Amino acid sequence: MSSAVSAERGFSEANSVHVVVESFRNTPDPRLRTVMASLVEHLHAFVKEVEPSHAEWQQAVDFLTAVGQKCDDTRQEFVLLSDVLGVSMLVDAINNRRSTEATDTTVLGPFHMVDSPPRELGATISLDGNGEPCVFTGQVRSADGTPLSGALVDVWQANGAGYYDVQQPDVQPERNLRGLFTTDDDGRFWLRTVVPRYYPIPDDGPVGQLLAATARHPNRPAHIHVIAGAADHEPLTTHVFVEGSPYLDSDTVFGVKQSLIRPVEVVDDPARAAHYRTANPFRLLEFDIVLDPTEARR
Ligand code: BEZ
Ligand code: FE
Protein backbone atom coordinates (compact mmCIF):
# COMPACT_ATOMS: atom_id res chain seq x y z
CA MET A 1 0.00 0.00 0.00
CA SER A 2 1.46 3.33 -1.02
CA SER A 3 1.92 6.01 1.58
CA ALA A 4 -0.46 8.27 -0.42
CA VAL A 5 -3.31 5.76 -0.05
CA SER A 6 -2.66 5.10 3.63
CA ALA A 7 -2.66 8.88 4.21
CA GLU A 8 -6.11 9.05 2.61
CA ARG A 9 -7.40 6.14 4.64
CA GLY A 10 -5.75 6.79 7.97
CA PHE A 11 -6.75 9.08 10.79
CA SER A 12 -4.38 11.94 11.52
CA GLU A 13 -4.29 15.12 13.51
CA ALA A 14 -4.64 17.04 10.26
CA ASN A 15 -7.68 15.20 8.84
CA SER A 16 -9.47 14.27 12.07
CA VAL A 17 -12.49 16.54 11.58
CA HIS A 18 -13.03 15.44 7.98
CA VAL A 19 -12.75 11.73 8.82
CA VAL A 20 -15.15 11.83 11.76
CA VAL A 21 -17.69 14.18 10.16
CA GLU A 22 -17.72 11.85 7.15
CA SER A 23 -18.62 8.94 9.44
CA PHE A 24 -21.90 10.72 10.20
CA ARG A 25 -22.77 11.46 6.56
CA ASN A 26 -25.62 8.92 6.40
CA THR A 27 -27.43 10.32 9.44
CA PRO A 28 -31.06 10.41 8.25
CA ASP A 29 -32.11 13.34 10.44
CA PRO A 30 -30.56 16.45 8.85
CA ARG A 31 -30.62 18.41 12.11
CA LEU A 32 -28.77 15.62 13.93
CA ARG A 33 -26.27 15.46 11.06
CA THR A 34 -25.63 19.20 11.35
CA VAL A 35 -25.32 19.07 15.13
CA MET A 36 -22.88 16.14 15.05
CA ALA A 37 -20.72 17.81 12.40
CA SER A 38 -20.54 21.00 14.44
CA LEU A 39 -19.86 19.10 17.65
CA VAL A 40 -16.99 17.20 16.06
CA GLU A 41 -15.54 20.36 14.54
CA HIS A 42 -15.58 22.30 17.81
CA LEU A 43 -14.57 19.39 20.02
CA HIS A 44 -11.57 18.56 17.86
CA ALA A 45 -10.57 22.24 17.77
CA PHE A 46 -10.76 22.30 21.57
CA VAL A 47 -8.61 19.18 21.92
CA LYS A 48 -6.08 20.50 19.40
CA GLU A 49 -5.84 23.77 21.31
CA VAL A 50 -5.60 22.24 24.80
CA GLU A 51 -3.48 19.20 23.81
CA PRO A 52 -4.50 17.12 26.84
CA SER A 53 -2.25 14.36 28.11
CA HIS A 54 -3.80 10.89 28.42
CA ALA A 55 -4.02 11.48 32.18
CA GLU A 56 -5.83 14.79 31.70
CA TRP A 57 -8.30 13.25 29.25
CA GLN A 58 -8.96 10.46 31.73
CA GLN A 59 -9.57 13.14 34.39
CA ALA A 60 -12.14 14.76 32.10
CA VAL A 61 -13.87 11.40 31.56
CA ASP A 62 -13.84 10.73 35.31
CA PHE A 63 -15.33 14.18 35.94
CA LEU A 64 -18.21 13.64 33.51
CA THR A 65 -18.75 10.16 34.96
CA ALA A 66 -19.01 11.67 38.44
CA VAL A 67 -21.45 14.31 37.15
CA GLY A 68 -23.69 11.55 35.82
CA GLN A 69 -23.39 9.46 38.96
CA LYS A 70 -24.44 12.42 41.11
CA CYS A 71 -27.77 12.71 39.29
CA ASP A 72 -30.91 11.25 40.83
CA ASP A 73 -34.60 12.14 41.08
CA THR A 74 -33.91 15.36 43.00
CA ARG A 75 -30.40 16.23 41.87
CA GLN A 76 -29.48 17.22 38.31
CA GLU A 77 -25.73 17.71 38.25
CA PHE A 78 -25.61 18.12 34.44
CA VAL A 79 -27.99 21.09 34.69
CA LEU A 80 -25.70 22.57 37.35
CA LEU A 81 -22.72 22.06 35.05
CA SER A 82 -24.54 23.75 32.18
CA ASP A 83 -25.50 26.57 34.57
CA VAL A 84 -22.01 27.33 35.90
CA LEU A 85 -20.58 27.24 32.37
CA GLY A 86 -23.09 29.89 31.27
CA VAL A 87 -24.62 27.51 28.72
CA SER A 88 -28.07 27.51 30.33
CA MET A 89 -28.21 31.30 30.10
CA LEU A 90 -26.95 31.23 26.52
CA VAL A 91 -29.61 28.71 25.45
CA ASP A 92 -32.17 30.87 27.26
CA ALA A 93 -31.02 34.01 25.43
CA ILE A 94 -31.10 32.29 22.03
CA ASN A 95 -34.61 31.00 22.66
CA ASN A 96 -36.06 34.21 24.08
CA ARG A 97 -35.45 36.91 21.52
CA ARG A 98 -38.52 38.83 22.61
CA SER A 99 -39.89 42.33 22.17
CA THR A 100 -38.27 45.06 24.22
CA GLU A 101 -41.50 45.42 26.23
CA ALA A 102 -41.54 41.81 27.49
CA THR A 103 -40.03 41.01 30.87
CA ASP A 104 -36.53 39.60 30.61
CA THR A 105 -36.08 35.87 31.06
CA THR A 106 -33.53 33.94 33.03
CA VAL A 107 -32.61 30.35 33.80
CA LEU A 108 -35.15 27.81 35.03
CA GLY A 109 -32.73 26.11 37.44
CA PRO A 110 -33.01 22.54 38.69
CA PHE A 111 -35.59 22.98 41.46
CA HIS A 112 -38.80 23.27 39.46
CA MET A 113 -38.96 19.50 39.59
CA VAL A 114 -42.34 19.18 41.31
CA ASP A 115 -45.66 20.82 40.41
CA SER A 116 -46.57 23.95 42.32
CA PRO A 117 -49.88 23.56 44.17
CA PRO A 118 -52.71 25.87 43.02
CA ARG A 119 -53.37 28.46 45.74
CA GLU A 120 -55.85 31.31 46.26
CA LEU A 121 -54.63 34.88 45.84
CA GLY A 122 -53.30 36.09 49.17
CA ALA A 123 -52.34 32.61 50.38
CA THR A 124 -49.02 32.12 52.09
CA ILE A 125 -46.52 29.82 50.42
CA SER A 126 -44.23 29.78 53.46
CA LEU A 127 -45.37 26.65 55.27
CA ASP A 128 -42.38 26.55 57.63
CA GLY A 129 -42.31 30.26 58.49
CA ASN A 130 -38.54 30.24 58.02
CA GLY A 131 -37.69 33.81 57.00
CA GLU A 132 -38.89 37.39 57.26
CA PRO A 133 -42.57 37.75 56.21
CA CYS A 134 -43.05 39.48 52.88
CA VAL A 135 -45.90 40.30 50.51
CA PHE A 136 -45.14 39.56 46.85
CA THR A 137 -47.43 41.20 44.31
CA GLY A 138 -47.59 42.38 40.73
CA GLN A 139 -49.62 42.69 37.57
CA VAL A 140 -49.37 40.54 34.45
CA ARG A 141 -49.82 42.56 31.25
CA SER A 142 -49.60 42.05 27.54
CA ALA A 143 -46.91 43.95 25.63
CA ASP A 144 -49.45 46.68 24.74
CA GLY A 145 -50.26 47.24 28.42
CA THR A 146 -53.53 45.27 28.57
CA PRO A 147 -53.89 43.54 31.97
CA LEU A 148 -54.09 39.76 31.60
CA SER A 149 -56.74 38.33 33.89
CA GLY A 150 -56.67 34.56 34.38
CA ALA A 151 -52.92 34.42 33.79
CA LEU A 152 -51.02 31.72 35.68
CA VAL A 153 -48.15 32.76 37.91
CA ASP A 154 -46.05 29.85 39.15
CA VAL A 155 -43.77 30.82 42.03
CA TRP A 156 -41.03 28.94 43.89
CA GLN A 157 -38.16 29.94 46.13
CA ALA A 158 -35.72 28.76 48.80
CA ASN A 159 -36.51 29.25 52.48
CA GLY A 160 -34.81 31.66 54.89
CA ALA A 161 -31.96 29.18 55.31
CA GLY A 162 -31.36 29.01 51.55
CA TYR A 163 -32.79 25.55 50.81
CA TYR A 164 -35.61 24.40 48.54
CA ASP A 165 -38.16 21.93 49.88
CA VAL A 166 -36.86 19.15 47.63
CA GLN A 167 -33.40 19.53 49.14
CA GLN A 168 -34.72 18.99 52.66
CA PRO A 169 -37.55 16.44 52.39
CA ASP A 170 -37.20 15.51 56.08
CA VAL A 171 -37.05 19.11 57.28
CA GLN A 172 -39.43 21.20 55.15
CA PRO A 173 -43.11 20.52 54.50
CA GLU A 174 -43.85 19.21 51.03
CA ARG A 175 -44.43 22.00 48.48
CA ASN A 176 -43.05 24.58 50.88
CA LEU A 177 -42.54 27.95 49.17
CA ARG A 178 -44.30 26.92 45.98
CA GLY A 179 -47.61 28.12 44.60
CA LEU A 180 -49.56 28.42 41.38
CA PHE A 181 -51.69 31.60 41.34
CA THR A 182 -54.27 32.91 38.89
CA THR A 183 -54.43 36.66 38.30
CA ASP A 184 -57.62 38.58 39.13
CA ASP A 185 -59.76 40.74 36.79
CA ASP A 186 -57.01 43.40 36.75
CA GLY A 187 -54.28 40.90 35.96
CA ARG A 188 -52.98 41.18 39.52
CA PHE A 189 -51.52 38.51 41.77
CA TRP A 190 -50.51 38.68 45.39
CA LEU A 191 -49.26 36.20 47.92
CA ARG A 192 -47.52 36.04 51.25
CA THR A 193 -44.09 34.55 51.56
CA VAL A 194 -40.71 35.28 53.19
CA VAL A 195 -37.93 37.53 51.94
CA PRO A 196 -35.70 35.23 49.91
CA ARG A 197 -32.07 34.85 50.90
CA TYR A 198 -28.99 34.29 48.76
CA TYR A 199 -27.81 30.67 48.77
CA PRO A 200 -25.17 28.36 47.33
CA ILE A 201 -26.13 26.04 44.52
CA PRO A 202 -25.60 22.42 45.61
CA ASP A 203 -21.79 22.26 45.79
CA ASP A 204 -21.15 18.88 47.43
CA GLY A 205 -20.61 17.17 44.05
CA PRO A 206 -18.26 17.39 41.07
CA VAL A 207 -19.59 20.80 39.97
CA GLY A 208 -18.81 22.15 43.45
CA GLN A 209 -15.31 20.67 43.15
CA LEU A 210 -14.89 22.40 39.80
CA LEU A 211 -15.93 25.74 41.33
CA ALA A 212 -13.51 25.25 44.23
CA ALA A 213 -10.65 24.27 41.92
CA THR A 214 -11.21 27.42 39.87
CA ALA A 215 -11.59 29.75 42.88
CA ARG A 216 -15.25 30.50 42.12
CA HIS A 217 -17.91 30.82 44.81
CA PRO A 218 -21.14 28.78 44.47
CA ASN A 219 -23.63 31.51 45.44
CA ARG A 220 -26.71 32.95 43.83
CA PRO A 221 -28.21 36.29 44.89
CA ALA A 222 -31.60 36.29 46.64
CA HIS A 223 -34.44 35.68 44.19
CA ILE A 224 -37.91 34.29 43.63
CA HIS A 225 -38.55 32.14 40.57
CA VAL A 226 -41.57 32.87 38.36
CA ILE A 227 -43.09 31.17 35.34
CA ALA A 228 -45.93 33.24 33.92
CA GLY A 229 -48.35 32.12 31.23
CA ALA A 230 -51.53 33.44 29.65
CA ALA A 231 -53.73 32.45 26.74
CA ASP A 232 -52.28 33.51 23.36
CA HIS A 233 -49.05 34.69 24.98
CA GLU A 234 -45.54 33.30 25.12
CA PRO A 235 -44.83 31.71 28.51
CA LEU A 236 -42.02 33.35 30.41
CA THR A 237 -39.51 31.90 32.86
CA THR A 238 -37.74 34.41 35.03
CA HIS A 239 -36.72 35.50 38.55
CA VAL A 240 -37.15 38.67 40.55
CA PHE A 241 -33.93 39.52 42.38
CA VAL A 242 -33.74 41.35 45.70
CA GLU A 243 -32.05 44.73 45.43
CA GLY A 244 -28.99 44.93 47.67
CA SER A 245 -28.53 41.16 47.91
CA PRO A 246 -24.97 39.84 48.01
CA TYR A 247 -23.79 38.23 44.76
CA LEU A 248 -25.91 40.33 42.38
CA ASP A 249 -22.65 41.07 40.53
CA SER A 250 -21.29 37.53 40.60
CA ASP A 251 -24.19 35.08 40.33
CA THR A 252 -22.49 31.73 39.83
CA VAL A 253 -25.00 30.80 37.08
CA PHE A 254 -24.92 34.24 35.36
CA GLY A 255 -28.70 34.63 35.76
CA VAL A 256 -28.93 38.26 36.87
CA LYS A 257 -30.28 40.98 34.58
CA GLN A 258 -30.52 44.56 35.84
CA SER A 259 -34.16 44.80 34.74
CA LEU A 260 -35.13 41.98 37.12
CA ILE A 261 -33.84 43.60 40.34
CA ARG A 262 -36.46 45.08 42.69
CA PRO A 263 -36.38 46.64 46.17
CA VAL A 264 -38.08 44.82 49.02
CA GLU A 265 -39.37 47.90 50.83
CA VAL A 266 -40.34 48.13 54.47
CA VAL A 267 -43.92 49.45 54.42
CA ASP A 268 -45.27 51.09 57.57
CA ASP A 269 -48.93 51.61 56.71
CA PRO A 270 -51.63 49.94 58.85
CA ALA A 271 -54.28 50.26 56.12
CA ARG A 272 -52.11 48.51 53.53
CA ALA A 273 -51.06 45.89 56.07
CA ALA A 274 -54.75 45.17 56.75
CA HIS A 275 -55.41 45.00 53.01
CA TYR A 276 -52.70 42.35 52.68
CA ARG A 277 -53.81 40.57 55.88
CA THR A 278 -50.35 40.94 57.37
CA ALA A 279 -48.78 42.56 60.43
CA ASN A 280 -47.62 46.19 60.19
CA PRO A 281 -44.89 47.12 59.26
CA PHE A 282 -44.20 44.60 56.50
CA ARG A 283 -41.85 43.95 53.59
CA LEU A 284 -43.24 44.39 50.09
CA LEU A 285 -41.86 43.08 46.80
CA GLU A 286 -43.59 44.36 43.65
CA PHE A 287 -42.87 42.80 40.27
CA ASP A 288 -44.97 43.39 37.17
CA ILE A 289 -44.67 40.89 34.33
CA VAL A 290 -45.11 41.67 30.63
CA LEU A 291 -45.78 38.86 28.16
CA ASP A 292 -45.48 38.95 24.39
CA PRO A 293 -48.52 37.90 22.37
CA THR A 294 -47.74 34.61 20.65
CA GLU A 295 -47.59 36.06 17.16
CA ALA A 296 -45.02 38.69 18.23
CA ARG A 297 -42.31 36.08 18.63
CA ARG A 298 -39.39 36.76 16.35
C1 BEZ B 1 -31.92 28.12 41.21
O1 BEZ B 1 -32.02 29.33 41.19
O2 BEZ B 1 -32.81 27.47 41.76
C2 BEZ B 1 -30.73 27.48 40.63
C3 BEZ B 1 -30.33 27.82 39.37
C4 BEZ B 1 -29.22 27.21 38.82
C5 BEZ B 1 -28.52 26.29 39.56
C6 BEZ B 1 -28.93 25.96 40.85
C7 BEZ B 1 -30.04 26.57 41.38
FE1 FE C 1 -33.30 29.56 42.88
Side-chain angles (χ1 to χ4, degrees):
M1 187 182 295
S2 77
S3 60
V5 171
S6 66
E8 261 173 40
R9 283 190 176 155
F11 178 101
S12 70
E13 192 175 330
N15 72 7
S16 71
V17 171
H18 174 74
V19 167
V20 181
V21 168
E22 267 301 290
S23 76
F24 288 109
R25 71 179 176 283
N26 294 329
T27 305
D29 180 337
R31 175 67 173 161
L32 179 60
R33 194 166 60 241
T34 302
V35 169
M36 290 313 298
S38 182
L39 175 67
V40 168
E41 191 182 318
H42 289 276
L43 188 58
H44 284 222
F46 166 73
V47 171
K48 286 172 188 178
E49 183 179 318
V50 173
E51 298 183 331
S53 66
H54 281 296
E56 286 173 332
W57 192 243
Q58 185 61 47
Q59 204 179 352
V61 170
D62 290 346
F63 174 77
L64 291 175
T65 303
V67 170
Q69 287 171 339
K70 193 72 186 170
C71 295
D72 61 25
D73 287 349
T74 58
R75 177 74 175 255
Q76 231 309 344
E77 196 76 359
F78 272 111
V79 173
L80 286 186
L81 181 58
S82 160
D83 293 339
V84 303
L85 293 177
V87 176
S88 301
M89 279 302 286
L90 185 56
V91 172
D92 184 67
I94 288 166
N95 284 277
N96 287 291
R97 295 173 182 140
R98 287 163 192 258
S99 77
T100 50
E101 291 79 27
T103 299
D104 276 329
T105 58
T106 190
V107 337
L108 175 67
F111 294 122
H112 191 257
M113 53 179 47
V114 291
D115 289 336
S116 298
R119 300 191 195 277
E120 297 295 322
L121 290 175
T124 183
I125 59 171
S126 171
L127 309 181
D128 63 353
N130 187 341
E132 190 180 352
C134 173
V135 170
F136 178 32
T137 185
Q139 185 185 41
V140 182
R141 295 188 293 272
S142 187
D144 68 359
T146 309
L148 293 172
S149 73
L152 289 177
V153 180
D154 187 347
V155 171
W156 71 105
Q157 68 174 86
N159 72 0
Y163 291 103
Y164 288 83
D165 56 353
V166 290
Q167 292 177 283
Q168 294 188 308
D170 301 329
V171 175
Q172 296 189 38
E174 236 178 86
R175 305 296 196 272
N176 189 33
L177 292 163
R178 297 179 191 269
L180 182 63
F181 295 85
T182 303
T183 57
D184 66 14
D185 290 348
D186 296 323
R188 298 201 154 275
F189 66 92
W190 76 280
L191 57 111
R192 288 173 292 159
T193 182
V194 291
V195 180
R197 176 186 173 276
Y198 64 88
Y199 64 83
I201 66 167
D203 63 350
D204 59 343
V207 171
Q209 287 166 7
L210 176 66
L211 293 177
T214 52
R216 283 180 54 182
H217 70 72
N219 295 297
R220 300 213 63 209
H223 60 272
I224 298 178
H225 294 259
V226 178
I227 298 177
D232 303 322
H233 286 75
E234 295 293 341
L236 183 127
T237 300
T238 194
H239 309 354
V240 55
F241 292 94
V242 175
E243 188 177 271
S245 170
Y247 306 113
L248 280 172
D249 292 323
S250 63
D251 182 2
T252 198
V253 305
F254 310 99
V256 177
K257 293 179 180 172
Q258 182 65 35
S259 65
L260 301 176
I261 301 173
R262 293 289 182 284
V264 186
E265 308 279 9
V266 178
V267 177
D268 188 356
D269 180 336
R272 286 182 84 190
H275 172 75
Y276 286 128
R277 305 200 297 265
T278 194
N280 189 60
F282 63 100
R283 306 285 300 270
L284 178 64
L285 171 54
E286 293 180 291
F287 183 56
D288 291 350
I289 298 163
V290 179
L291 303 180
D292 269 337
T294 306
E295 67 271 18
R297 188 159 197 166
R298 291 185 229 156

